[in-house]
Amino acid sequence: MSEESTEENTLKKYGISFQQKTLYVLATNKSFLAQTLDILDVNYWESESGRWVCKHIIEYFNQYKDVPTLDFFKTKLSSVLIPSLQKAILSELKSIFADVSKATDLNFVKDEFLTFCKNQKLKTAILAS
């Protein structure tokens, strides 16, 4: 797969800040998470730490039908055995829950992310047929 096609299938074009905002919204907004769950793919995130956070948000929601807590992430983080990945995930979580929570454009992020996910699923369905 070329770098260009990979970039088209991820949130890379939106930048790191946008990606963190999407994770924040998914981790804190139960109704939005439920709305996007069927069209959500962890591979949309550019970084391994972003994919890890998304994966655990989905797993938590599937099991408990709610959004995860910081304690949940803290517990799961202790099972990451690669120190550099653990540090990257911790940094990602700090950014998501400390910095992003103050963002004023989260409604835009939700709309844009929902459109992106729908387009990705449509593209996948077309290619599969």
Side-chain angles (χ1 to χ4, degrees):
M1 194 182 314
S2 72
E3 187 176 317
E4 182 179 318
S5 63
T6 301
E7 192 170 317
E8 287 176 9
N9 298 326
T10 69
L11 293 165
K12 184 175 183 171
K13 67 180 180 178
Y14 293 100
I16 298 298
S17 175
F18 182 90
Q19 293 177 54
Q20 289 175 338
K21 288 174 185 178
T22 60
L23 290 170
Y24 174 78
V25 172
L26 292 170
T28 60
N29 188 320
K30 182 178 171 180
S31 63
F32 184 73
L33 176 55
Q35 178 184 8
T36 58
L37 197 61
D38 291 341
I39 57 174
L40 194 55
D41 186 333
V42 297
N43 295 311
Y44 293 159
W45 281 268
E46 186 179 354
S47 69
E48 188 173 357
S49 57
R51 291 188 296 272
W52 185 96
V53 172
C54 182
K55 174 184 171 223
H56 286 85
I57 291 169
I58 294 168
E59 286 178 2
Y60 188 92
F61 186 82
N62 284 335
Q63 184 169 358
Y64 300 106
K65 304 300 179 226
D66 208 346
V67 291
T69 63
L70 283 174
D71 286 336
F72 166 77
F73 286 118
K74 187 176 174 183
T75 302
K76 289 295 183 181
L77 188 59
S78 67
S79 66
V80 175
L81 302 177
I82 304 166
S84 60
L85 178 58
Q86 192 177 54
K87 185 177 179 181
I89 294 166
L90 184 60
S91 175
E92 188 91 36
L93 289 168
K94 282 181 180 176
S95 293
I96 292 166
F97 288 101
D99 303 335
V100 174
S101 64
K102 299 174 187 89
T104 58
D105 63 344
L106 296 178
N107 286 328
F108 163 76
V109 170
K110 289 191 305 190
D111 289 345
E112 194 68 25
F113 181 66
L114 194 55
T115 300
F116 172 84
C117 290
K118 287 177 182 176
N119 288 339
Q120 291 304 309
K121 287 300 174 187
L122 183 61
K123 194 185 319 182
T124 302
I126 290 169
L127 291 173
S129 64

